[in-house]
Amino acid sequence: MSAWLAACAPAATTVPDSPVAAVSSRPSAVTVKLIGINDFHGHLLPPDGLTDVVEADGSPPVKLSLGGVAYLASEIRALKVANPLNVVVGAGDLISASQLQSALFNDEPAVDVLNALGLDLSSVGNHEFDKGRDALLRMQRGGCAPGQVAGPAASATTCLDGRYPGAKFQWLAANVIDDASGRTLLPAYDIKTLPTASGPVRIAFIGLVLKDAPTLVAPAGIRGLRFTDEADTVNALVPQITAQGVRSIVVLIHQGGYTQAGYNDEECSTFTGDIVDVVKRLDPAVDAVISAHTHRTYRCRLPSRDPAHRILVTSAGHGGRFVTDIDLTIDPASDEVLDSRARNIPIVNDRAPNPAPDRYPTLVPDAAIAAKAAFYAAKAAPVGDTPVARLKADLLRKVDAAGETALGYVIADAQLASARDPAQGGAHLALMNRDGVRADLLRRPSDGQVNFGQIYTAQPFGSDLVTMTLSGAQLIAVLEQQWRMKDGRLIETFLHPSAGFRYRWSASAPVGARIVPGSVELEGQPVQPERTYRVNVNRYLADGGDGFTQFLAGSDRVTGVLDRDALIAYLKASEPVDVPKTGRVTRVD
């Protein structure tokens, strides 16, 4: 294994012109600052609405207006000034599932602003593979998107300045193997050499994506790629890195956890998630883990393979709402990390109707980055600002006790409406995956309107809808796949059903038997195991995404319109759209 990893490892790089770091209490020790972001998702502009910020002291959440890349850049610049001995790193999902201002142009704007704010390295995330391996390699290396209009034309969607130079930062993919070559798709790790008065300091950064990425992206785009176990991959690399005399190792991983604690609560007593198992199997030579994927904000210390060695594990939420400030105190004589400390910093912008509390200072946006964001916003405005329909109330992703959301219901209803006609598939019901709903639809207070940009942000993937035939038994099996066990833990991935389809489920029942027998109904009639039903889903689910492999058994497939187009048509036909009634899904305990 180490042979092909060695072949994929890049040459060590040096950060030029780095001033001497501040000397710690140990004369020979230096402090290196790592500045971490993750799950950026092309958020050039501050998102709509306020964010509930949970503090470590258990006090009620504070509502703050967070995010916007110009404000993020301002905070990153301040951190770099505070310690010029720094590395800016990411943990994946920098692109895709993005705001319209970036997504409309193949996320080239996201890479442009990340280049400008000084990102050095990032792991890949599952969303980096949304358009397939070739698209990811283009994002890294540059070049215009094939078959699209380039340049200054109003219809251009690629190379708006005439060219796309690619990412100046390096994506890392230690556990993504190209079966044809046996090598990693992108470099496995990078070693940064930082010159100091006490001698050079070297830090190795290993980048990985969650091993289950193939269940989260379209299979066609990753054909020929193999995703290996995260901890095993890191542990295999450690001897190769330490053999080069490097003793400071940081893992950038697109995998994460969950906590109910505050964003800077170090206790992390409620911390759970896949990252816990990954970290507890890591070689104790790893000094810090910058994580992602769950969109949570935390700083914790988790046990490694050596329970006495606890590794600093952080995440900066999503959408540029936070940045993680990590200080590593390193002995240049040995390259050993002597101490590690971290804090998450909210990116407070000036968009809130009321000033933030004094303990949350409002940032001044970086002028150069703000100009870039404004340029892309202006290019997208003719499309994004187009009114779509009026709502009676906001349509939210807030989850109810049964696991459903109002906006998810509306999207499922829209999909069913688009495919009811026999010529369009003859669907009897539609099912929508909850994680495919990416943002709330918030009505404009003056007239209740939502625009195309909001629809795009809520459904950014532009997936075909597919209507297929399933037997009643297969349909019930699909519903059971909302719950599955993985490494001894329960994974829940809820589906939103369209109107007229109902069922009940039990949280106390075993996995595989959670649907209450006889409770599945369509238009008031029990679903019969031997009968067939026409079911409409997006292409991602149709191809078995999110672990819903039962959809692969669907026959007589008919491809319909794009999911986003179905939602727009439904909203227009139904305006003003009200919040749908609950009760399609009932949790019995």
Side-chain angles (χ1 to χ4, degrees):
M1 184 173 186
S2 60
W4 58 256
L5 286 170
C8 296
T13 57
T14 299
V15 177
D17 302 322
S18 295
V20 177
V23 177
S24 75
S25 58
R26 284 184 55 168
S28 62
V30 296
T31 299
V32 175
K33 187 176 293 296
L34 307 184
I35 303 168
I37 62 172
N38 53 271
D39 298 278
F40 179 60
H41 289 296
H43 271 64
L44 274 60
L45 304 180
D48 293 333
L50 302 178
T51 300
D52 285 337
V53 176
V54 179
E55 299 179 308
D57 61 5
S59 58
V62 179
K63 292 187 177 295
L64 299 175
S65 182
L66 302 181
V69 71
Y71 301 89
L72 175 65
S74 179
E75 183 60 45
I76 290 176
R77 184 183 65 229
L79 292 172
K80 295 177 77 169
V81 168
N83 184 356
L85 198 62
N86 60 71
V87 186
V88 185
V89 295
D93 277 10
L94 305 180
I95 59 174
S96 195
S98 303
Q99 287 180 331
L100 179 72
Q101 293 78 14
S102 183
L104 193 61
F105 309 111
N106 294 282
D107 272 315
E108 293 167 20
V111 174
D112 183 24
V113 297
L114 291 171
N115 285 343
L117 62 76
L119 184 65
D120 293 304
L121 298 166
S122 179
S123 69
V124 293
N126 54 285
H127 281 290
E128 266 83 0
F129 292 94
D130 279 343
K131 294 185 178 180
R133 59 186 290 170
D134 292 341
L136 171 58
L137 293 176
R138 184 187 76 85
M139 297 304 292
Q140 178 71 76
R141 299 167 182 170
C144 301
Q148 298 188 26
V149 177
S155 60
T157 56
T158 184
C159 293
L160 299 187
D161 290 329
R163 68 189 188 97
Y164 167 64
K168 294 180 181 178
F169 58 90
Q170 179 64 60
W171 266 297
L172 303 174
N175 65 332
V176 183
I177 313 304
D178 182 349
D179 283 332
S181 67
R183 298 183 176 184
T184 55
L185 180 68
L186 290 160
Y189 65 91
D190 192 20
I191 298 173
K192 293 295 184 186
T193 301
L194 310 173
T196 80
S198 299
V201 168
R202 294 185 295 168
I203 306 175
F205 294 89
I206 303 172
L208 311 99
V209 65
L210 71 160
K211 66 181 178 183
D212 291 333
T215 68
L216 302 174
V217 296
I222 57 170
R223 191 169 291 119
L225 295 179
R226 179 164 40 93
F227 294 76
T228 62
D229 181 84
E230 308 96 331
D232 290 347
T233 300
V234 171
N235 293 342
L237 282 169
V238 166
Q240 183 183 133
I241 291 169
T242 56
Q244 300 174 60
V246 179
R247 297 292 185 270
S248 299
I249 301 176
V250 176
V251 169
L252 312 175
I253 181 170
H254 195 76
Q255 180 58 283
Y258 303 88
T259 180
Q260 302 301 317
Y263 66 95
N264 271 329
D265 186 349
E266 290 189 288
E267 183 182 355
C268 296
S269 59
T270 61
F271 196 82
T272 60
D274 288 335
I275 195 66
V276 176
D277 178 67
V278 173
V279 173
K280 77 178 181 183
R281 294 189 293 119
L282 288 181
D283 190 306
V286 173
D287 297 294
V289 172
I290 298 174
S291 66
H293 189 51
T294 58
H295 290 195
R296 300 304 198 272
T297 310
Y298 49 80
R299 57 168 185 172
C300 299
R301 293 188 187 274
L302 303 178
S304 67
R305 191 173 64 195
D306 176 2
H309 177 72
R310 301 182 75 84
I311 299 177
L312 177 67
V313 181
T314 69
S315 175
H318 68 107
R321 291 172 170 86
F322 289 83
V323 65
T324 306
D325 174 21
I326 301 171
D327 286 331
L328 298 181
T329 304
I330 301 175
D331 180 359
S334 65
D335 265 348
E336 295 281 358
V337 172
L338 305 175
D339 188 30
S340 59
R341 300 180 184 274
R343 61 177 179 140
N344 282 306
I345 303 171
I347 303 303
V348 182
N349 60 49
D350 55 7
R351 303 301 180 89
N354 300 309
D358 291 342
R359 62 186 181 279
Y360 294 106
T362 300
L363 293 165
V364 176
D366 179 282
I369 303 292
K372 285 181 175 292
F375 168 77
Y376 294 118
K379 295 288 286 187
V383 175
D385 292 346
T386 303
V388 170
R390 291 181 297 116
L391 306 182
K392 285 187 178 180
D394 296 336
L395 296 176
L396 306 178
R397 296 180 300 155
K398 183 178 180 181
V399 181
D400 67 15
E404 304 305 302
T405 75
L407 182 51
Y409 279 162
V410 170
I411 291 173
D413 291 346
Q415 293 181 185
L416 176 59
S418 75
R420 273 195 182 279
D421 190 289
Q424 297 170 319
H428 299 119
L429 70 140
L431 296 167
M432 174 64 191
N433 53 314
R434 188 177 75 186
D435 288 345
V437 186
R438 306 298 295 191
D440 298 329
L441 285 184
L442 305 179
R443 62 197 295 272
R444 190 164 60 189
S446 60
D447 57 7
Q449 284 280 355
V450 292
N451 61 35
F452 180 80
Q454 292 173 280
I455 302 295
Y456 200 107
T457 301
Q459 284 204 279
F461 300 114
S463 174
D464 292 333
L465 295 178
V466 178
T467 303
M468 65 180 70
T469 296
L470 293 174
S471 69
Q474 290 170 327
L475 179 55
I476 294 170
V478 163
L479 299 180
E480 291 287 6
Q481 286 189 319
Q482 294 175 104
W483 304 274
R484 56 192 173 94
M485 298 302 296
K486 175 188 166 188
D487 300 327
R489 294 191 309 102
L490 177 67
I491 303 296
E492 294 181 317
T493 310
F494 289 108
L495 295 171
H496 303 301
S498 55
F501 187 72
R502 299 175 182 271
Y503 65 91
R504 293 179 290 143
W505 65 277
S506 170
S508 61
V511 171
R514 291 200 155 192
I515 302 300
V516 175
S519 71
V520 184
E521 296 182 352
L522 179 62
E523 303 299 346
Q525 299 299 313
V527 167
Q528 302 295 327
E530 67 280 2
R531 285 191 56 185
T532 58
Y533 301 86
R534 298 288 287 165
V535 184
N536 181 272
V537 295
N538 57 48
R539 175 74 65 181
Y540 172 64
L541 286 177
D543 289 344
D546 272 347
F548 288 99
T549 55
Q550 278 291 333
F551 284 124
L552 297 173
S555 61
D556 301 322
R557 296 180 174 223
V558 175
T559 299
V561 300
L562 293 182
D563 54 5
R564 191 164 48 240
D565 292 343
L567 178 58
I568 290 170
Y570 179 80
L571 294 177
K572 287 181 175 180
S574 309
E575 67 175 340
V577 180
D578 205 351
V579 177
K581 294 181 179 179
T582 60
R584 301 181 190 182
V585 178
T586 303
R587 176 176 170 173
V588 299
D589 55 4

